[in-house]
Amino acid sequence: DAGVTQSPTHLIKTRGQQVTLRCSPKSGHDTVSWYQQALGQGPQFIFQYYEEEERQRGNFPDRFSGHQFPNYSSELNVNALLLGDSALYLCASSWRLAAGSTYEQYFGPGTRLTVT
Amino acid sequence: AQTVTQSQPEMSVQEAETVTLSCTYDTSENNYYLFWYKQPPSRQMILVIRQEAYKQQNATENRFSVNFQKAAKSFSLKISDSQLGDTAMYFCAFMKRRLGGGSNYKLTFGKGTLLTVNP
């Protein structure tokens, strides 16, 4: 049973550039959430996708956008990169179950983005 | 909005001993979940234990147990018989519980506690 996978593992970009990160959810999962984890901090929620639409969004600017494909995989796009966007970006998947489920989220290994 | 506070940035324990990590949270919600996640140097965030707020009984998973005090909004993690592999960052997290069908709400994390298990 494949877990959550993310690519690439590491990425170095220059200020002002654009970046795309990718996530494949755990088998059987249809919901993908993205989190940003700055060094020494806990993860911060960016947004969540299911049924190919953004359903929830955290306090992040419009430079952060996403997409979900029919196979439930997802992309996170960041435009006009700033030095402060340097972080570990985590993807988490879950299954949108009926009432009473536990809604556990399974995390991928993350993509380390460095902006210089 | 919910907040999660972990007041111990770092802790250390000797192998085979017991250690308790603290977590407090603030919310006006009545239905929610609380989690402890472990993040080893490999970066993979792993769920350690989960507590449903509507359950009075404290959750237990092998060597890991919690002390959930709903009125005090406290949720501590006890690790018994600590092992070298327990060395990691530990994050406490909060999630509102969706009472109907639909996707889960977001996780709100604390800043984490770095636990080092010494041989």
Side-chain angles (χ1 to χ4, degrees):
Chain A
D1 180 19
V4 180
T5 60
Q6 292 186 244
S7 63
T9 305
H10 296 90
L11 204 53
I12 300 175
K13 289 287 187 177
T14 303
R15 275 179 299 175
Q17 286 187 320
Q18 178 265 343
V19 68
T20 297
L21 310 182
R22 295 176 177 81
C23 170
S24 291
K26 179 179 169 66
S27 178
H29 286 184
D30 65 349
T31 301
V32 173
S33 299
W34 287 92
Y35 293 82
Q36 181 196 65
Q37 186 178 15
L39 196 62
Q41 302 293 317
Q44 298 288 319
F45 175 75
I46 302 174
F47 44 52
Q48 180 192 77
Y49 278 84
Y50 73 86
E51 292 183 340
E52 302 179 45
E53 290 188 19
E54 183 182 294
R55 299 293 180 170
Q56 301 176 59
R57 189 177 183 92
N59 189 27
F60 279 81
D62 292 345
R63 298 187 297 109
F64 290 77
S65 63
H67 188 77
Q68 186 179 36
F69 299 93
N71 67 353
Y72 307 125
S73 66
S74 176
E75 288 182 349
L76 164 64
N77 301 294
V78 187
N79 295 323
L81 284 167
L82 304 174
L83 294 179
D85 295 332
S86 294
L88 179 67
Y89 287 85
L90 296 168
C91 167
S93 73
S94 58
W95 171 237
R96 187 167 46 88
L97 297 173
S101 67
T102 60
Y103 304 107
E104 283 187 33
Q105 296 191 41
Y106 293 79
F107 284 82
T111 294
R112 172 73 66 190
L113 172 64
T114 302
V115 182
T116 62
Chain B
Q2 293 78 32
T3 59
V4 177
T5 302
Q6 294 179 249
S7 58
Q8 305 152 314
E10 295 186 37
M11 292 191 72
S12 63
V13 64
Q14 293 300 120
E15 199 174 5
E17 292 187 347
T18 296
V19 64
T20 298
L21 308 184
S22 301
C23 172
T24 58
Y25 59 96
D26 188 26
T27 184
S28 58
E29 301 289 334
N30 194 46
N31 291 293
Y32 52 88
Y33 298 100
L34 294 164
F35 305 86
W36 279 98
Y37 279 89
K38 167 186 176 182
Q39 188 177 41
S42 66
R43 309 183 322 205
Q44 188 96 33
M45 193 77 77
I46 302 165
L47 178 65
V48 174
I49 197 165
R50 176 188 68 247
Q51 175 77 43
E52 290 89 345
Y54 60 88
K55 291 185 178 179
Q56 292 186 344
Q57 186 173 5
N58 289 324
T60 299
E61 288 286 342
N62 300 314
R63 298 183 294 108
F64 300 88
S65 61
V66 299
N67 183 5
F68 173 49
Q69 302 290 328
K70 190 173 183 179
K73 296 180 181 174
S74 170
F75 183 60
S76 61
L77 173 70
K78 185 171 82 171
I79 305 175
S80 303
D81 186 26
S82 296
Q83 301 176 359
L84 296 178
D86 294 334
T87 293
M89 281 291 288
Y90 285 82
F91 292 97
C92 178
F94 171 101
M95 185 174 76
K96 282 169 52 176
R97 178 176 178 234
R98 190 180 291 276
L99 298 179
S103 68
N104 51 276
Y105 286 105
K106 68 176 183 179
L107 285 163
T108 298
F109 288 87
K111 290 188 175 182
T113 296
L114 177 60
L115 175 67
T116 302
V117 179
N118 299 308

